[in-house]
Amino acid sequence: MSTRGLQQLATQTRFDFALLWRNPLASFFTVVLPLIFLFVLTALFGNDLVTPFGPKLASRFVPGIMALAVVQAAFVNLAIVTVFRRERSILKRVRGTPMRPWTFMGAQVATSYAVIGLMAVLMALIGWAVYDVELLWRTVPSLIVTLIIGGAMFCALGLAFTNVVPNEMSGPPLLNLIVLPLYFVSDVYVPATDDTPRAITLIGDIFPIRHLAVALQRSFDPLSDESIWPIANWLVMAAWGVAAALIVTRWFRWTPRS
């Protein structure tokens, strides 16, 4: 990409980021709602030690809600914004400007990553300062890789999903119809235990949200005897991301459907 293209990308990213904060509903569901879920879960279940040697129970909730924040920023919000711009002919008009179309779309993805980074830092700091969640510095590289792969995968899924959303009014209910049930079977609200029905974990294993949540949990569990590099989870997320990217490349619409 040329210097001019990078400048356009940076300018459009700043615009999209500012636009997110000026939209009360978008900023609430993307930023505030995950924080509310974290506070509610710790209020309901407490924050006792998981074992006599630790960690605190909140260390199970923080990575799950962090996964929720990634899904909201990279999948739900990106899909809603893209459908809105498509149906208002904004995407169509962009193709008639000097800006490269994918520079415009890249700014939306960059905005999603900015929110993901912000929420990851915010969740970790709140967990550490308020709930005594231990920050494992040795797992930070793995955490960053998980957020990068998860962000890319859910951005691709968000853009791919716009193909089945007929208009801007249908976006929010359709997206929530998909993600809300999956949150309950994907270790987002409450991590799975030995008592969790096998059918629930099998359903969760099919979809990428659980793989994101489990990979993030590895970064907050000091007692885990598994590798800090959740390669199997990364591969599943990467497979979903590649499939979604192929759909976007082949069927993404720049013009209104209605």
Side-chain angles (χ1 to χ4, degrees):
M1 185 180 292
S2 65
T3 303
R4 183 181 180 185
L6 290 174
Q7 291 174 344
Q8 290 177 338
L9 177 62
T11 301
Q12 186 64 36
T13 300
R14 288 196 298 269
F15 173 80
D16 286 340
F17 191 73
L19 199 62
L20 172 66
W21 292 103
R22 293 176 182 177
N23 185 332
L25 277 179
S27 58
F28 176 82
F29 283 101
T30 306
V31 178
V32 180
L33 188 62
L35 298 177
I36 292 176
F37 276 125
L38 178 60
F39 296 140
V40 169
L41 287 174
T42 50
L44 287 175
F45 295 99
N47 192 30
D48 297 329
L49 292 174
V50 179
T51 70
F53 306 100
K56 290 292 189 68
L57 188 57
S59 66
R60 300 290 194 265
F61 298 142
V62 167
I65 301 304
M66 193 179 293
L68 182 148
V70 172
V71 176
Q72 291 295 124
F75 178 68
V76 177
N77 186 64
L78 180 61
I80 290 174
V81 170
T82 303
V83 170
F84 175 85
R85 291 178 171 178
R86 184 193 70 198
E87 296 305 306
R88 296 297 179 94
S89 297
I90 295 174
L91 297 184
K92 180 180 178 180
R93 291 196 295 270
V94 165
R95 302 197 73 178
T97 68
M99 179 184 292
R100 293 176 180 269
W102 289 108
T103 300
F104 181 82
M105 298 303 300
Q108 292 186 219
V109 173
T111 300
S112 297
Y113 267 112
V115 175
I116 289 170
L118 172 66
M119 294 302 296
V121 172
L122 194 58
M123 289 285 182
L125 288 177
I126 291 176
W128 170 73
V130 180
Y131 298 112
D132 200 25
V133 173
E134 184 179 357
L135 300 180
L136 307 176
W137 297 107
R138 63 186 176 86
T139 65
V140 169
S142 173
L143 174 65
I144 293 174
V145 173
T146 298
L147 291 175
I148 291 174
I149 295 176
M153 181 263 297
F154 278 110
C155 281
L157 283 174
L159 294 176
F161 191 77
T162 60
N163 290 292
V164 300
V165 180
N167 54 64
E168 59 194 274
M169 299 299 294
S170 304
L174 281 175
L175 288 159
N176 286 310
L177 181 64
I178 291 174
V179 299
L180 289 180
L182 289 178
Y183 287 152
F184 287 97
V185 299
S186 300
D187 291 20
V188 169
Y189 297 131
V190 181
T193 65
D194 294 337
D195 297 326
T196 302
R198 181 57 180 161
I200 296 297
T201 57
L202 285 174
I203 294 173
D205 284 337
I206 297 174
F207 298 97
I209 297 179
R210 184 169 191 270
H211 293 277
L212 174 63
V214 170
L216 290 173
Q217 288 166 12
R218 297 266 191 98
S219 301
F220 288 88
D221 189 356
L223 301 181
S224 175
D225 56 359
E226 298 181 273
S227 170
I228 64 172
W229 305 100
I231 296 176
N233 301 114
W234 291 347
L235 290 175
V236 173
M237 289 191 290
W240 274 88
V242 170
L246 293 174
I247 293 173
V248 173
T249 303
R250 176 64 179 85
W251 287 293
F252 183 78
R253 293 181 61 94
W254 292 89
T255 56
R257 293 186 62 175
S258 56

